[in-house]
Amino acid sequence: MANMSYKCLTCGAELFWKADRNAFVCDYCEDSFTLDQLQEAGQTGEVDETKVQKAEELMEGEAAVSTDGTVGNNLVKYSCSHCGAEIITDRSTAATICVYCGNAVIMGEQIINDFAPDFVIPFSVEKKKVMEAFKEFSKKPLTPKSFDCEKVVDKMQGVYIPFWLYSGTCEGDVDAECYNEEKKRKGDYDIIKRDFYAVKRRGKVNFEFIPVDASSKTEDEAMDSIEPYDFKDFKPFNPAYLSGFLAERYDEDQEKCYPRAQERIENTTLDLIKDSCPYDSIHIERYDKDIKLSETKYAMMPAWLLYTTYKDKKYFFAMNGQTGKFVGSLPIDYGKLVVFSALGGILGAVIGFFIGG
Ligand SMILES: [Zn+2]
Ligand SMILES: [Zn+2]
């Protein structure tokens, strides 16, 4: 087995993970199988390290862009195990779809050893649904007429994004000056009475699975804004879930990504401490924190992504592949915008325009 894929137990064709059926489905005979059924039939999905296909380096000047639409510029090549075509892809791609034969190609060497994920959340939002959501989203009053949503939506890709998940404890120790305020009206005067308190608070927070995306290619802010993922759907990682999707392995290690988790943990701890202070005003004078990480897990989470360019500007749309939450921006027809501002609706229109559901 050069690349990895899962075969239909009825006809032997390639199987793909189908979100709407929550199963692996054969496009030819329509049969579907659970992971258990495949494993019982001997398709363990375990990666045989001795047999994984290694990426081949490109010759100088051989290719400037990937054939599979993955972004990045650190390119290597694989050959498709089904049709033999050469697939130029980014070095950190862990799964792709062969553009020539449409079959799933899973890069075994990108999901073993140091790159083996602990968990995966399988896609539960199907492509049809995300395409409809995007079409609905682009029916905005300010979208230029020439922005061809039907054409753009074809570029929508299901991508497994690598995440680090940090767990541990944070001890926070706070000195704060707080007050409660009382307002009274006396004759012609407002009288404000403030009672001041010197407050000390100490608390320990256990945190589990604080996620930080581990790919330099995804926009951190977009990933943050399609969170949260619901960790109840965590499955032990199995490469079978990747078939039919793109997948990125991490290219930023857990140390590099940690500061973003740290910031979230420190802010959350402080917020919880503040919540325990029943005062009208809280002014933090000192905040000491001590984070102890217990373990860091590596997981792949599903996202629908669409990058497009309109009149030389880049636009981005992302949807959480588990919950359907989305963010994005669309081109604006400035001619229409003028009409809108003349109508006085500009503020509401522009804000409503940039922030999706
Ligand atoms: Zn079949
Ligand atoms: Zn192929």
Side-chain angles (χ1 to χ4, degrees):
M1 183 172 63
N3 293 313
M4 307 192 30
S5 67
Y6 294 81
K7 301 287 185 290
C8 173
L9 301 179
T10 313
C11 75
E14 181 107 7
L15 293 175
F16 292 94
W17 173 256
K18 291 280 155 72
D20 53 328
R21 290 167 69 175
N22 202 27
F24 296 93
V25 178
C26 171
D27 280 343
Y28 292 91
C29 68
E30 297 265 308
D31 270 0
S32 64
F33 307 92
T34 63
L35 191 58
D36 285 348
Q37 286 173 313
L38 291 172
Q39 287 179 337
E40 269 167 37
Q43 301 196 35
T44 60
E46 267 160 37
V47 187
D48 183 342
E49 290 181 30
T50 61
K51 290 184 185 154
V52 299
Q53 190 189 22
K54 298 273 192 291
E56 272 180 70
E57 300 297 324
L58 294 183
M59 318 264 248
E60 209 178 316
E62 192 178 341
V65 290
S66 65
T67 44
D68 59 0
T70 50
V71 281
N73 44 27
N74 193 354
L75 300 174
V76 290
K77 63 185 171 188
Y78 287 89
S79 54
C80 172
S81 58
H82 306 275
C83 73
E86 206 164 71
I87 301 168
I88 311 282
T89 192
D90 190 84
R91 192 179 298 274
S92 58
T93 297
T96 188
I97 298 158
C98 172
V99 288
Y100 304 100
C101 70
N103 276 303
V105 183
I106 297 171
M107 287 70 175
E109 68 172 328
Q110 306 299 357
I111 49 172
I112 55 168
N113 303 330
D114 287 350
F115 294 125
D118 299 298
F119 303 113
V120 58
I121 296 180
F123 272 87
S124 53
V125 178
E126 56 177 314
K127 187 163 190 180
K128 217 172 79 205
K129 245 177 154 169
V130 67
M131 288 171 86
E132 279 162 17
F134 179 75
K135 285 181 193 168
E136 198 53 41
F137 172 67
S138 46
K139 270 191 228 149
K140 299 278 159 119
L142 294 177
T143 309
K145 274 215 174 70
S146 55
F147 180 75
D148 188 348
C149 155
E150 296 285 334
K151 216 165 135 192
V152 169
V153 77
D154 273 347
K155 294 188 199 159
M156 188 79 68
Q157 290 176 325
V159 186
Y160 280 103
I161 312 280
F163 275 82
W164 293 113
L165 306 167
Y166 300 87
S167 300
T169 58
C170 178
E171 249 182 289
D173 191 352
V174 165
D175 287 342
E177 189 187 77
C178 305
Y179 63 76
N180 279 333
E181 195 170 86
E182 229 180 285
K183 272 187 193 160
K184 266 189 209 150
R185 183 92 187 153
K186 214 173 186 183
D188 289 341
Y189 301 98
D190 283 326
I191 297 182
I192 296 171
K193 181 180 158 236
R194 282 180 181 169
D195 294 326
F196 284 84
Y197 303 88
V199 175
K200 283 185 183 298
R201 281 285 190 281
R202 214 179 170 147
K204 189 171 170 182
V205 178
N206 291 317
F207 55 91
E208 194 179 30
F209 297 155
I210 305 296
V212 175
D213 89 75
S215 167
S216 61
K217 275 169 254 139
T218 50
E219 291 172 34
D220 293 346
E221 273 168 42
M223 286 304 114
D224 287 349
S225 50
I226 60 170
E227 279 181 33
Y229 284 95
D230 186 344
F231 300 138
K232 79 177 186 330
D233 287 344
F234 264 156
K235 303 264 189 280
F237 178 76
N238 188 298
Y241 291 111
L242 307 187
S243 68
F245 296 98
L246 298 179
E248 286 290 318
R249 61 134 163 101
Y250 72 85
D251 63 356
E252 295 177 325
D253 64 20
Q254 47 178 292
E255 281 76 36
K256 175 137 198 254
C257 295
Y258 176 61
R260 291 180 57 221
Q262 185 183 9
E263 197 187 322
R264 285 173 84 160
I265 293 161
E266 290 177 0
N267 290 344
T268 306
T269 304
L270 185 60
D271 286 345
L272 287 168
I273 289 176
K274 280 180 172 172
D275 285 349
S276 77
C277 299
Y279 304 104
D280 296 334
S281 166
I282 302 165
H283 174 73
I284 303 295
E285 290 179 325
R286 179 184 63 88
Y287 174 33
D288 290 330
K289 51 256 165 185
D290 180 22
I291 298 178
K292 290 199 169 64
L293 288 183
S294 56
E295 56 174 0
T296 306
K297 296 283 188 193
Y298 175 39
M300 286 194 176
M301 320 259 221
W304 289 102
L305 303 180
L306 192 155
Y307 295 92
T308 190
T309 309
Y310 180 78
K311 294 194 173 160
D312 295 335
K313 255 195 93 183
K314 288 198 167 87
Y315 295 90
F316 178 70
F317 175 90
M319 181 187 264
N320 183 314
Q322 180 194 25
T323 64
K325 183 180 177 190
F326 72 82
V327 291
S329 61
L330 287 170
I332 288 186
D333 182 330
Y334 286 96
K336 288 186 186 176
L337 188 64
V338 172
V339 176
F340 254 79
S341 39
L343 294 172
I346 180 163
L347 195 63
V350 172
I351 289 172
F353 202 68
F354 278 107
I355 303 165

